[in-house]
Amino acid sequence: MILDVKHTNIAYRCPNCGSGVISAVGLFSLSADMVKLKCSSGKSEMTVLYGEDGKLRLTVPCLFCPNPHQFTLSSNVFFKQELFSLPCPYTGINTAVLGELNKVKAELARSELELLDLMEKSGVTDFSALHAAEAEALTDPQIDEIVTYVIKELDAEGKISCKCGAGDEREYDVEVRDDGILVKCRKCGASRLIPTDSRLSAYAFLNADELHLE
Ligand SMILES: [Zn+2]
Ligand SMILES: [Zn+2]
Ligand SMILES: [Zn+2]
């Protein structure tokens, strides 16, 4: 009997210290339990849960969002892709990648450069300043302006989606609040808050090429 040995490599970036955390994951370790990847700083972890339905549920911390993101993948996607990215749904920047070891390592290196570039542009020098909860609130009116501009552009290009059908006429309200900019559909009420209380998350949003309201 030949065993179909399923394994892959998975990596995420710690929101607290910025290091890439990488680990091999096999089906055997998964079926036993939940797999946790932890940063050596002890301040973040990613979990992978193998469900009875054969699907994998991943909880991935995000550099830009206060809460981790959830992803559900089929085991075919999880184990058989050479490289698969799990982007933050609102900045488009990868929160986790999985696949062949060398490809995962290369992607970690690439995303690190992307991140350093983003930090430089936004004037952030320290990973500990990344998180909205810890960073001092920035009330830079320019950030609000830039984010509002990007939202208007996305709207003009038809790249904002909500619960309304694609062909429906919709209108989006944009409201500037202390903790961010709220985009809300007048018709279905779906909304999303773009945090602007961290300079970096605001700048990350500039990379967004679509916006989905929930
Ligand atoms: Zn860390
Ligand atoms: Zn995110
Ligand atoms: Zn709508």
Side-chain angles (χ1 to χ4, degrees):
M1 187 177 114
I2 298 169
L3 280 175
D4 179 16
V5 182
K6 288 181 171 176
H7 78 274
T8 189
N9 301 279
I10 187 153
Y12 78 98
R13 189 170 301 283
C14 173
N16 274 84
C17 64
S19 28
V21 183
I22 186 163
S23 174
V25 178
L27 186 58
F28 290 126
S29 54
L30 275 173
S31 48
D33 202 359
M34 176 200 276
V35 168
K36 279 188 186 178
L37 276 71
K38 277 191 183 157
C39 176
S40 54
S41 72
K43 291 200 171 148
S44 74
E45 63 176 35
M46 166 179 175
T47 59
V48 183
L49 200 68
Y50 190 59
E52 281 174 5
D53 55 2
K55 293 204 160 102
L56 292 118
R57 286 178 182 77
L58 288 74
T59 306
V60 190
C62 179
L63 283 167
F64 305 103
C65 304
N67 296 314
H69 297 303
Q70 316 265 357
F71 300 95
T72 303
L73 301 177
S74 73
S75 64
N76 255 357
V77 168
F78 190 79
F79 288 112
K80 301 218 168 121
Q81 300 282 320
E82 286 186 0
L83 185 69
F84 192 80
S85 312
L86 300 165
C88 163
Y90 101 88
T91 63
I93 291 177
N94 291 342
T95 59
V97 282
L98 52 99
E100 285 175 16
L101 187 58
N102 285 331
K103 296 219 159 112
V104 168
K105 281 185 178 165
E107 175 53 29
L108 271 184
R110 192 201 63 79
S111 65
E112 183 155 338
L113 290 179
E114 182 182 46
L115 193 62
L116 289 174
D117 188 47
L118 200 60
M119 287 172 78
E120 195 182 306
K121 281 188 195 144
S122 58
V124 173
T125 50
D126 182 356
F127 274 102
S128 62
L130 285 179
H131 259 315
E134 290 159 29
E136 82 277 34
L138 286 164
T139 45
D140 187 341
Q142 259 194 329
I143 289 185
D144 289 343
E145 254 169 53
I146 294 169
V147 171
T148 306
Y149 174 80
V150 173
I151 293 167
K152 295 243 160 85
E153 287 282 287
L154 290 171
D155 190 15
E157 291 166 16
K159 293 194 175 142
I160 301 183
S161 57
C162 55
K163 291 171 188 156
C164 299
D168 294 357
E169 191 73 30
R170 330 158 248 188
E171 251 185 291
Y172 298 109
D173 285 325
V174 178
E175 184 195 336
V176 178
R177 309 200 320 192
D178 282 349
D179 53 348
I181 293 181
L182 187 74
V183 188
K184 191 171 178 186
C185 174
R186 255 183 225 183
K187 221 168 160 186
C188 69
S191 68
R192 186 176 282 273
L193 184 76
I194 316 295
T196 50
D197 50 1
S198 137
R199 200 175 270 263
L200 194 70
S201 58
Y203 271 82
F205 177 69
L206 306 189
N207 288 337
D209 48 19
E210 60 180 350
L211 180 64
H212 183 67
L213 314 182
E214 280 167 357

